[in-house]
């Protein structure tokens, strides 16, 4: 590998870390996608994972996904909790036999030396009630810190995965904090430059964290959000119904637009939840409603060209 | 004889599943071997995060040959029978069968089938794939290309390779050949993931273990634990500290490493302001590290011990630094939570409970707390506790559930309540009750002794029991989702430990009324069943109307606001409805003991389900009795003595009301069992038991013969011998003395009184013939025997005692 300039080195630069991971997975046959252009709670929601994990066709992709967790906002005061952060997502279908080795080599690529650090695979069964999905795998620990999640999808959107896809999710901020040796996320060096040229994570995101925390906990328009949830739910069902070719349940032609509405409903629910306007019992029923949408989208997807046999 | 070496090499197996998996593998393989006639000498299984291994030694080379004789049809039997016989036995013709003579029934054919034993390695090659495919992992998964097809292999995590060799010690072993989803066994495994990732060829168990060890893998989980424990103790000791031992953590950590390397790190001393338990929970749960303490003060030190999986090239500096950073962040969170919690008083948290559902049918946490408070206040005088303190404790005891620290670490619930209560200046007993009212949780847990804690602990447990009993959520078989068995056992242990005298039935009824007040106030579905065609709106409208009627004194209620008891229900709880109800049917066991009564009101809009109080009480009491039996047996009491004492309770319950049940007073049951045990160790006890049993046996036989019992007092005029008269007198004396002693609850004295019966019983059996020719005399003597049995029932049913 050619020598990287200092400002691109993953242990100095947040963006350098991202670019290194993208390069690494590109070298291993992944298509490098850009973030999905909607608000999602995790990289898994990107249709490149949720939907592409279904169906028999092989699929290898990697991408960065900004993830929104409205409830995790801390007004910029917590050193490692954010309501908006980046995940790096890799999906490989079918899961290759050397997936663990590929993952460990990706850590080596960003400067985590397995002769020096204690890397461990600790049981963590993954389940997403809203996506109707589950899988088995691990949290990957580096010197006691969880840096990635590693999952073999067994079911997504209520559909059995055949074949099974392997999913890797890197928590980019944590990983960067680790390799940069920084304790506070806002102190991360974003662009790898020093002195006047240096841009930190705080320069980029601190104001946003404060503003969105205010919004998420205090000011978001709940009446509008309740309405949006209903509208997204209704639209999703409408598109799903309309998408069946000639009204027969053989070919679906609008799974992706329908799934967008499912994503929308899920995010709106997270916003409502952060505002504390959903009671414990209602909460369950909202989750169930989103899951029903996700399942119907999965069902539609496996009748599309990319999702079908 | 040859040995089998098996290794199933996979991606990381969850630590919590490892021990059972090793045991399952050993059991499944050896069971199958034995079932195939391959009796082995020994077997042992091992497990690491990446491999399940098994060695079975001393397996025969071949299965024994089997010879079997199979009886066939008679000579001259129809052809169909002959053909069937030939087919079943594999013979070509009847010429291959032998003829067996039978002069009585007629001659018949016999087939001699010889099944030669097969090579063990062949048998093993068939056994192993079946075991792999049916292995009982708690959760398993599919992976890779092959998961496309149905029926793909599933394993706990992807299975990568298999070692299976079979052969005697002196030769190069053979590889057992089979194919599971493309995985074929060989003799190659791999060492430590990072320190020795290369291939290793192995022959048999001996070199397998030593080659793994050289490749930085300690195969035996027990050895890994021993290493971790010894090194951790040493590391702590070297710095003047003491390891806080933690078996569950040790088990888990040993399942996360193949090559344990113990390292020590530290954290900022300022974190020691956080309660030690919280520090420990943080470090243990999130980081799987041990904590250490100062051996003199017993207080935690600002150190922790971690177990790494590698010998790092820098001696572990980077690993320690990384772990320290994570622990610092975790402790910062914990400290923040703790300090935030201290800013809010416990009572100020209570309103939140109004929005938290405890159980759909039993209302909110706030309602549950109110019930506990009421019940605890009623129990306070019975356990000698100050009512004001008890009420305060009951009110605050659950408040820590809403704190940040408990939200993060549920296992410190109660304990944090105590800390926060002390911090806000509560009375020491009140604070202690916040922690101790949860106790005892398990068989080894501490039992509360402070009266305030006792009152709240009993109320907490009784409320759960009666609440779930009332809504018919009782434990069945292995299902006990609300831990009701533990609650009942907790009550028993508290009662026993503090020698409390509590009339269980009465207390249960108070608790039940508490539960029902809630259910009634809310007109809850547990109590009301509406017609199916009525909408939810109509239901609430109906309830509102009924409530207003109650308030207005409508109907038969004597005055406004009165709750009218429905007396005809054999039920003394107030019901909010004043409508007149008509009994329509009963639910549950028919005849005498229905679980529920079902009433319908005039306009037949609703049905009212009312639990049968007697069924409720008897079933809950016998639930307690079962727990007590288990408890006494676990404490070493003879189970037959326990049964003998409980048999009294069942008997008196038949004819009379439950309140007189012996089982009602748990402490007295225990005392009786103890006294009985001691008495039966004496000669008098043993002989009296023998005499009583003899009397019972004779009576049993004669009662059967005559199809009648011999109750009633014997007629003194019919006594013909001295022995009869003396026995009658002794019985009378013992009844008086033992009865008086039992009344004083002096069971030892009752036993001593009982012992006086022995000479008279012995003499009676020696001299007197019970079955006299004179019918009247015989009946009288049987009645006398019955009296012996009756007299001993003052303390126990002797017929239930063994020996």
């Amino acid at each position: 590998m050619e020598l990287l300039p200092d400002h691109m080195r993953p242990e100095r630069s947040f963006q350098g870390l991202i670019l290194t991971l993208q390069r690494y997975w590109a070298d291993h046959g992944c298509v490098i996608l850009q973030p999905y252009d909607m608000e999602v709670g995790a990289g898994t929601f990107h249709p490149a994972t949720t939907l592409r994990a279904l169906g028999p066709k092989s699929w290898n992709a990697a991408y960065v996904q900004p993830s929104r967790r409205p409830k995790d906002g801390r007004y910029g005061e917590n050193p490692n909790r954010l309501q908006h952060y980046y995940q790096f997502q890799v999906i490989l279908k079918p899961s290759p036999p050397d997936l663990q080795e590929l993952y460990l080599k990706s850590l080596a690529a960003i400067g985590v030396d397995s002769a020096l650090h204690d890397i461990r695979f600790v049981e963590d069964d993954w389940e997403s009630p809203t996506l109707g999905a589950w899988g088995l795998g691990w949290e990957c620990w580096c010197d006691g810190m969880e840096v990635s999640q590693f999952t073999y999808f067994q079911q997504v959107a209520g559909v059995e995965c055949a074949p099974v896809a392997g999913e890797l999710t890197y928590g980019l901020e944590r990983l960067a904090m680790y390799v940069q040796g920084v304790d506070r996320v806002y102190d991360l060096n974003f662009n790898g430059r020093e002195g006047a040229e240096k841009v930190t994570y705080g320069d980029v995101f601190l104001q946003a964290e404060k503003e969105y925390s205010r919004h998420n906990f205090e000011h978001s328009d709940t009446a509008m959000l309740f309405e949006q949830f209903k509208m997204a739910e209704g639209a999703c069902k409408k598109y799903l119904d309309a998408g069946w070719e000639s009204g027969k349940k053989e070919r679906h032609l609008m799974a992706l637009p329908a799934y967008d509405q499912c994503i929308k409903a899920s995010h709106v629910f997270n916003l409502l939840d952060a505002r504390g306007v959903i009671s414990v019992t209602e909460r369950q029923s909202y989750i169930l409603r989103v899951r029903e949408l996700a399942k119907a989208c999965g069902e539609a997807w496996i009748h599309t060209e990319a999702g079908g046999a | 004889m040859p040995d089998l070496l098996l290794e199933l090499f996979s991606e990381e197996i969850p630590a919590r599943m490892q021990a059972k998996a090793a045991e399952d593998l050993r059991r499944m393989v050896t069971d199958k071997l034995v079932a195939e006639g391959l009796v082995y000498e020994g077997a042992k299984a091992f497990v690491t995060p990446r491999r399940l291994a098994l060695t079975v030694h001393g397996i025969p080379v071949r299965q024994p040959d089997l010879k079997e004789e199979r009886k066939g049809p008679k000579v001259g039997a129809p052809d169909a029978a002959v053909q069937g016989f030939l087919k079943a036995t594999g013979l070509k013709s009847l010429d291959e069968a032998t003829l067996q003579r039978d002069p009585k029934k007629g001659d018949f054919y016999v087939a001699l089938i010889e099944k030669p034993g097969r090579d063990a390695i062949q048998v093993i090659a068939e056994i192993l794939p079946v075991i792999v495919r049916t292995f009982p992992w708690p959760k398993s998964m599919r992976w890779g290309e092959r998961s496309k097809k149905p029926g793909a292999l599933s394993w706990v995590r992807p299975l990568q390779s298999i070692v299976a060799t079979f052969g005697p010690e002196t030769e190069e072993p053979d590889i057992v050949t089979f194919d599971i989803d493309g995985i074929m066994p060989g003799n190659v495994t791999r060492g430590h993931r990072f320190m020795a990732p290369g291939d290793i060829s192995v022959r048999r168990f001996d070199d397998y273990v030593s080659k793994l060890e050289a490749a930085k893998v300690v195969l035996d989980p027990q050895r890994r634990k021993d290493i971790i424990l010894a090194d951790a103790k040493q590391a702590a000791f070297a710095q003047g500290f003491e390891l806080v031992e933690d078996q569950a953590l040790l088990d888990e950590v040993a399942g996360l490493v193949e090559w344990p390397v113990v390292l020590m790190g530290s954290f900022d001393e300022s974190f020691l302001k956080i309660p030690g338990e919280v520090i420990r929970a943080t470090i243990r749960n999130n980081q799987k590290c041990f904590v250490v303490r100062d051996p003199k003060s017993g207080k935690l030190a600002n150190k922790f011990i971690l177990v790494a999986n590698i010998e790092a090239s820098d001696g572990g500096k980077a690993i320690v630094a990384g772990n320290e950073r994570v622990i610092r962040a975790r402790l910062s969170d914990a400290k923040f939570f703790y300090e935030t919690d201290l800013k809010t008083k416990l009572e100020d948290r209570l309103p939140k409970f109004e929005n938290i559902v405890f159980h759909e049918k039993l209302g909110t946490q706030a309602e549950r707390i109110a019930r506990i408070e009421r019940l605890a206040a009623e129990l306070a005088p019975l356990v000698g506790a100050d009512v004001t303190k008890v009420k305060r404790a009951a009110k605050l005891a659950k408040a820590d559930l809403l704190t940040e620290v408990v939200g993060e670490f549920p296992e410190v619930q109660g304990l944090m309540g105590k800390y926060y209560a002390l911090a806000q200046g509560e009375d020491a007993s009140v604070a202690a009750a916040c922690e101790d009212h949860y106790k005892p949780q398990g068989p080894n847990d501490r039992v509360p002794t402070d009266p305030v804690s006792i009152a709240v602990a009993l109320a907490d447990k009784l409320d759960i029991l009666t609440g779930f009993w009332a809504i018919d959520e009782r434990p069945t078989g292995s299902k006990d989702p609300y831990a009701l068995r533990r609650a009942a056992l907790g009550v028993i242990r508290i009662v026993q430990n503090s020698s409390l005298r509590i009339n269980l039935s009465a207390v249960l009824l108070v608790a039940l009324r508490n539960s029902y007040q809630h259910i009634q106030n809310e007109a809850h579905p547990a109590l009301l069943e509406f017609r199916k065609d009525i909408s939810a709106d109509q239901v609430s409208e109906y309830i509102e109307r009924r409530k207003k009627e109650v308030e207005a004194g409508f109907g038969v209620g004597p005055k406004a606001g009165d709750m009218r008891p429905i007396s005809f229900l054999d039920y003394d709880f107030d019901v909010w409805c004043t409508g007149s109800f008509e009994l329509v049917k009963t639910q549950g066991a028919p005849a005498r003991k229905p679980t529920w009564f079902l009433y319908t009101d005039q306009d037949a809009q609703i049905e009212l389900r009312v639990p049968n109080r007697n069924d409720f009480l008897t079933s809950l009491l016998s639930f307690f009795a079962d727990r007590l039996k288990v408890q006494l047996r676990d404490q070493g009491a003879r189970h037959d003595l326990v049964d003998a004492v409980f048999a009294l309770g069942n008997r008196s319950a038949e004819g009379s009301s439950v309140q007189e049940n012996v089982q009602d007073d748990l402490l007295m049951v225990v005392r009786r069992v103890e006294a009985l045990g001691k008495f039966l160790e004496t000669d008098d006890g043993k002989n009296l038991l023998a005499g009583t049993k003899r009397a019972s046996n004779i009576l049993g036989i004669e009662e059967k013969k005559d199809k009648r019992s011999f109750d009633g007092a014997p007629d003194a005029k019919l006594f013909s011998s001295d022995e009869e008269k003396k026995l009658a007198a002794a019985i009378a004396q013992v009844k008086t003395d033992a009865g008086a002693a039992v009344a004083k609850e002096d069971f030892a004295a009752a036993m001593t009184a009982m012992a006086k019966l022995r000479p008279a019983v012995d003499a009676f059996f020696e001299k007197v013939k019970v079955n006299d020719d004179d019918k009247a005399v015989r009946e009288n003597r049987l009645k006398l025997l019955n009296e012996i049995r009756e007299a001993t029932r003052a303390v126990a049913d002797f017929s239930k005692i063994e020996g």
Side-chain angles (χ1 to χ4, degrees):
Chain A
M1 203 165 88
E2 81 271 33
L3 264 179
L4 285 171
D6 276 358
H7 67 271
M8 291 299 282
R9 284 169 52 183
E11 69 273 26
R12 291 197 170 205
S13 153
F14 185 59
Q15 63 203 34
L17 175 95
I18 294 175
L19 292 166
T20 306
L21 281 174
Q22 288 189 337
R23 176 72 190 263
Y24 174 86
W25 286 105
D27 287 344
H28 285 90
C30 286
V31 295
I32 304 300
L33 300 175
Q34 300 306 316
Y36 202 56
D37 57 345
M38 290 187 70
E39 301 129 314
V40 294
T44 311
F45 275 86
H46 195 311
T49 293
T50 309
L51 297 180
R52 291 277 181 173
L54 296 175
K57 295 199 170 107
S58 69
W59 173 252
N60 300 309
Y63 54 90
V64 177
Q65 181 63 50
S67 304
R68 304 232 191 184
R69 304 261 167 106
K71 250 186 167 171
D72 284 351
R74 292 292 182 273
Y75 296 85
E77 283 164 18
N78 186 290
N80 44 30
R81 237 182 248 223
L82 302 163
Q83 56 84 41
H84 171 287
Y85 65 102
Y86 286 130
Q87 288 188 339
F88 190 85
Q89 177 87 1
V90 181
I91 172 133
L92 303 170
K93 181 177 78 169
S95 64
D98 57 347
L99 186 53
Q100 281 186 312
E101 277 69 40
L102 288 176
Y103 167 72
L104 291 170
K105 280 189 208 154
S106 76
L107 288 187
I110 54 171
V112 178
D113 177 2
S114 63
L116 200 59
H117 295 286
D118 185 25
I119 301 167
R120 227 83 74 72
F121 293 91
V122 180
E123 177 191 14
D124 185 34
D125 300 344
W126 174 81
E127 196 183 353
S128 167
T130 39
L131 280 180
W134 71 277
L136 298 188
W138 309 273
E139 310 176 337
C140 305
W141 285 22
C142 177
D143 299 338
M145 181 165 70
E146 184 195 341
V147 291
S148 312
Q149 282 199 342
F150 191 130
T151 307
Y152 291 99
F153 282 152
Q154 302 294 302
Q155 195 188 70
V156 175
V159 181
E160 285 293 291
C161 297
V164 163
E167 182 209 44
L168 302 173
T169 304
Y170 302 75
L172 286 175
E173 284 82 355
R174 278 199 189 187
L175 207 47
M177 284 166 74
Y178 196 77
V179 294
Q180 290 191 25
V182 159
D183 283 338
R184 188 171 163 267
V185 65
Y186 301 107
D187 295 338
L188 279 175
N189 188 333
F190 207 105
N191 63 349
R193 307 283 174 169
E194 295 303 327
E197 288 185 312
K198 175 174 165 180
V199 176
T200 65
Y201 194 91
D203 293 336
V204 182
F205 284 122
L206 182 57
Q207 181 184 331
E209 280 301 312
K210 291 178 181 171
E211 292 190 2
Y212 276 103
S213 296
R214 272 173 226 132
H215 165 266
N216 299 344
F217 294 125
E218 302 166 45
H219 299 288
S220 67
D221 184 338
T222 55
M224 175 194 75
L225 291 170
F226 276 120
E227 204 50 41
Q228 280 186 346
F229 185 92
K230 273 191 222 153
M231 290 172 77
E233 187 183 37
C236 180
K237 288 178 182 164
K238 200 185 290 172
Y239 303 162
L240 282 171
D241 282 347
W244 292 108
E245 190 178 31
S246 352
K248 282 182 288 183
K249 296 229 164 179
E250 283 162 11
R251 200 38 131 198
H252 203 283
L253 304 174
M254 268 203 305
L256 289 163
Y259 179 65
D260 280 355
Q261 298 305 315
C262 169
I263 294 179
K264 183 90 193 158
S266 171
H267 177 62
V268 169
F269 160 71
N270 287 338
L271 283 171
L272 286 166
D273 198 26
R275 282 279 265 132
V277 290
I278 294 181
S279 76
V280 183
T281 34
E282 281 174 324
R283 200 168 180 278
Q284 201 49 39
S285 94
Y286 272 99
I287 290 173
L288 224 64
R289 283 161 75 181
V290 177
R291 176 158 67 211
E292 286 315 309
L293 299 181
K295 278 184 165 178
C297 291
E299 177 62 23
W301 171 260
I302 56 173
H303 290 88
T304 65
E305 196 186 331
Chain B
M1 279 198 288
D3 304 336
L4 169 70
L5 169 66
L6 176 68
E7 182 199 65
L8 301 161
F9 185 81
S10 69
E11 299 179 10
E12 277 75 357
I13 306 167
R16 66 187 170 92
M17 300 176 187
Q18 291 172 12
K20 181 172 179 291
E23 172 52 25
D24 284 343
L25 182 66
R26 192 195 57 77
R27 179 180 48 78
M28 289 172 89
V29 172
T30 55
D31 282 1
K32 283 258 163 126
L33 286 176
V34 171
E36 290 289 343
L38 295 169
V39 179
Y40 62 97
E41 283 169 11
K44 196 159 179 4
F46 302 90
V47 62
T48 79
R50 296 174 82 201
R51 59 199 95 218
L52 260 180
L54 173 71
T55 168
V56 185
H57 65 267
I59 301 174
V61 181
R62 290 171 62 84
Q63 287 176 313
D65 297 339
L66 286 179
K67 279 184 189 167
E68 194 190 350
E69 265 190 16
R70 199 172 300 173
K71 196 179 160 188
K74 276 187 218 163
V75 174
D79 193 49
V82 173
Q83 290 308 320
F85 172 63
L86 291 178
K87 200 177 170 195
T89 54
L91 301 186
K92 287 196 190 76
S93 71
L94 283 179
D95 299 344
E96 292 178 8
T98 45
L99 202 62
Q100 191 144 331
R101 303 269 168 208
D102 189 334
K104 278 184 199 159
K105 293 183 186 165
D107 302 349
F108 60 93
Y109 294 105
V110 170
L112 271 176
I113 307 169
E114 285 192 25
K115 206 177 149 198
R118 292 189 303 148
D119 286 341
I121 192 164
Q122 271 181 12
V123 177
I124 292 167
E126 284 171 15
I127 288 174
L128 295 182
V130 176
I131 290 172
V132 170
R133 286 197 178 272
T134 57
F135 202 78
W137 292 109
K139 269 187 189 169
S140 60
M141 53 162 278
R142 299 164 298 119
W143 67 93
E145 183 70 34
R146 285 184 181 252
S147 59
K148 223 179 237 183
K149 299 186 198 106
L153 174 65
S154 71
W155 197 246
V156 62
R157 292 294 184 274
L159 180 62
Q160 289 180 332
S161 62
I162 298 176
V163 169
T165 68
F166 183 75
E169 217 173 304
T170 47
E171 292 165 29
E172 188 70 20
D174 296 315
I175 289 167
V176 184
T177 51
F178 54 87
D179 181 342
I180 309 175
D181 258 33
I183 304 171
M184 279 168 277
N187 60 351
V188 175
T189 183
R190 270 167 281 172
H192 188 279
R193 185 187 275 289
F194 301 109
M195 289 192 287
D199 287 353
I200 304 169
S201 295
V202 297
R203 280 195 292 272
R204 59 181 63 83
F205 185 65
D206 288 349
D207 68 312
Y208 171 70
V209 173
S210 55
K211 282 175 180 162
L212 279 184
E213 188 96 15
K216 307 289 184 186
V217 174
V218 179
L219 181 67
D220 186 348
Q222 188 54 49
R223 254 199 77 216
R224 293 197 301 278
K225 285 182 211 173
D226 293 346
I227 292 169
I228 295 168
L229 188 61
D231 289 0
K233 279 182 173 171
Q234 181 54 36
F237 179 75
Q239 302 213 20
F241 301 117
E242 182 179 70
L243 178 75
V244 177
E245 290 189 37
D246 186 332
Q247 188 60 44
L249 181 61
L250 181 61
D251 291 345
E252 185 180 5
V253 167
L256 290 172
V257 295
E258 290 203 309
W259 190 256
V261 175
V262 168
L263 297 166
M264 194 170 200
S266 52
F267 52 85
D268 200 284
E269 260 185 85
S270 66
F271 288 125
L272 292 173
K273 281 184 222 149
I274 313 171
E277 293 85 351
V278 177
I279 295 179
R280 185 176 170 193
T282 307
I283 290 180
R284 171 193 205 280
N285 301 6
N286 295 324
Q287 295 311 125
K288 308 196 191 305
C289 294
F290 294 88
V291 290
V292 301
R293 66 186 156 219
D294 179 345
K296 278 173 229 136
S297 69
K299 286 194 175 142
L300 287 193
N302 62 328
K303 303 277 175 194
F304 65 91
I305 285 175
L306 73 101
V307 183
N309 189 32
I310 58 162
E311 284 168 2
S313 51
D314 67 348
K317 279 198 196 91
I319 296 174
V320 169
N323 275 277
E324 282 179 345
R325 193 180 314 154
V326 185
I327 281 181
R328 190 190 315 145
R330 296 283 192 183
L331 288 177
S332 298
D333 280 351
K335 186 161 174 266
F336 176 76
F337 291 150
Y338 178 61
E339 284 166 357
T340 309
D341 284 347
L342 286 172
K343 287 179 194 155
T344 310
K345 287 200 150 197
L346 289 172
E347 56 265 45
D348 293 342
R349 299 181 182 276
L350 296 175
K352 266 204 168 172
F353 280 129
E354 284 161 23
N355 299 317
I356 298 175
V357 176
F358 166 65
H359 181 280
E360 186 204 344
K361 289 186 176 176
L362 294 172
T364 63
Q365 278 281 17
E367 286 163 317
R368 174 161 143 76
I369 292 167
R371 291 199 299 269
I372 295 175
E373 194 182 329
R374 272 201 303 274
L375 183 57
E378 297 213 35
L379 290 168
L382 300 179
V383 302
D386 179 283
V387 178
T388 321
K389 285 183 190 172
V390 165
K391 287 179 93 166
R392 179 74 182 158
K395 190 188 274 299
L396 299 183
K398 304 280 182 200
D400 71 342
L401 290 174
L402 296 173
T403 61
E404 301 274 346
V405 169
V406 176
E408 197 74 7
F409 307 109
E411 72 267 36
V412 291
Q413 75 170 29
L415 183 75
M416 293 318 293
K418 180 175 85 176
Y419 286 135
Y420 296 141
L422 287 173
Q424 68 180 47
E426 297 294 333
D427 175 90
S429 290
V430 172
C434 291
E435 180 184 12
D436 288 353
H437 82 282
Y438 286 112
K439 295 181 180 298
Q441 293 271 17
N444 302 316
D445 197 15
R446 188 157 53 82
V447 181
T449 50
D450 183 293
V452 175
S453 293
I454 288 176
V456 184
L458 288 176
D460 186 27
K461 292 166 177 59
L462 291 170
D463 176 71
I464 284 197
L465 282 163
T466 51
F468 284 107
W469 226 256
I471 60 167
D472 255 352
E473 289 276 0
R474 305 173 186 187
T476 49
S478 60
K479 281 193 192 139
D480 184 10
Y482 305 106
L484 301 185
R485 292 195 178 102
R486 192 171 73 190
L489 197 55
V491 171
I492 290 168
R493 289 188 58 207
I494 293 170
V495 164
Q496 230 185 319
N497 193 54
S498 291
S499 300
L500 295 178
R501 301 300 309 277
I502 284 179
N503 180 326
L504 208 50
S505 308
V507 169
L508 288 172
L509 280 177
V510 173
L512 177 67
R513 190 185 306 135
N514 251 329
S515 303
Y516 265 84
Q517 248 162 27
H518 159 70
I519 294 174
Q520 289 156 19
N521 288 343
E522 296 300 311
H524 202 279
L527 203 60
L528 301 176
E529 286 186 353
F530 293 88
R531 262 182 23 220
K532 283 200 185 90
D533 54 348
I534 294 179
S535 73
D537 285 347
Q538 281 173 294
V539 169
S540 28
E541 191 191 312
Y542 178 88
I543 291 170
E544 279 314 304
R545 181 155 55 87
R546 285 300 193 196
K547 278 184 177 169
K548 283 204 186 96
E549 285 167 4
V550 173
E551 281 158 22
F554 174 86
V556 248
K559 62 177 188 293
D562 259 7
M563 295 284 200
R564 193 179 113 78
I566 301 186
S567 54
F568 59 81
L569 299 185
D570 177 29
Y571 206 81
D572 58 3
F573 303 131
D574 301 338
V575 175
W576 58 268
C577 260
T578 59
S580 55
F581 285 84
E582 184 191 351
L583 180 62
V584 283
K585 60 176 172 185
T586 55
Q587 276 184 345
R592 291 195 304 128
K593 284 182 180 169
T595 325
W596 299 84
F597 298 108
L598 216 67
Y599 294 87
T600 181
D601 82 335
Q602 295 154 320
D603 28 9
Q605 279 196 324
I606 69 156
E607 288 179 338
L608 179 66
R609 290 172 90 220
V610 181
N612 178 347
R613 188 182 67 173
N614 277 331
D615 167 73
F616 172 88
L617 265 186
T618 43
S619 62
L620 193 46
L621 279 176
S622 76
F623 182 68
F624 268 99
D626 288 343
R627 298 300 103 212
L628 181 56
K629 270 188 210 173
V630 173
Q631 163 81 354
L632 288 173
R633 258 175 249 174
D634 288 351
Q635 287 172 353
R638 279 167 50 180
H639 69 93
D640 56 331
L641 302 192
V642 179
D643 286 340
V645 171
F646 272 107
L648 294 178
N650 293 340
R651 184 172 170 268
S652 65
E654 271 167 26
S656 60
S657 81
V658 277
Q659 269 86 344
E660 287 162 44
N661 202 323
V662 173
Q663 302 159 18
D664 234 25
D665 193 327
L666 300 171
L667 192 64
M668 289 305 106
V669 173
V670 178
R671 295 275 155 84
R672 274 174 203 259
V673 172
E674 283 167 2
L676 192 56
K678 276 189 194 143
F679 180 53
L680 290 176
E681 279 165 21
T682 65
D683 274 351
D684 279 348
K686 281 178 198 143
N687 284 314
L688 180 63
L689 176 63
T692 315
K693 282 203 157 269
R694 194 166 165 192
S696 284
N697 288 342
I698 295 171
L699 263 171
I701 293 165
E702 300 309 314
E703 279 172 349
K704 219 177 192 177
K705 211 186 277 171
D706 290 20
K707 295 195 179 74
R708 58 161 288 196
S709 63
F710 296 94
D711 296 339
D715 185 349
K717 279 178 268 171
L718 290 172
F719 292 149
S720 54
S721 65
D722 271 1
E723 286 76 14
E724 278 173 287
K725 287 172 198 157
K726 278 186 186 155
L727 179 58
I731 289 172
Q733 186 64 39
V734 163
K735 269 188 170 174
T736 319
D737 294 353
V742 167
K744 281 189 284 177
E745 293 167 3
D746 186 347
F747 298 110
M751 298 293 172
T752 316
M754 205 87 75
K756 290 180 193 142
L757 205 51
R758 178 198 158 188
V761 172
D762 288 353
F764 176 84
F765 278 124
E766 202 169 305
K767 293 277 161 63
V768 181
K769 181 185 164 201
V770 177
N771 282 323
D772 196 88
D773 296 337
D774 182 336
K775 267 190 177 176
V777 172
R778 170 176 171 268
E779 183 184 333
N780 206 47
R781 287 181 180 165
L782 286 169
K783 281 183 172 172
L784 194 55
L785 290 188
N786 190 48
E787 285 289 288
I788 300 177
R789 204 164 58 171
E790 285 304 311
T792 54
R793 278 196 201 266
V795 284
D797 182 343
F798 275 51
S799 68
K800 296 273 193 270
I801 301 171
E802 288 167 7

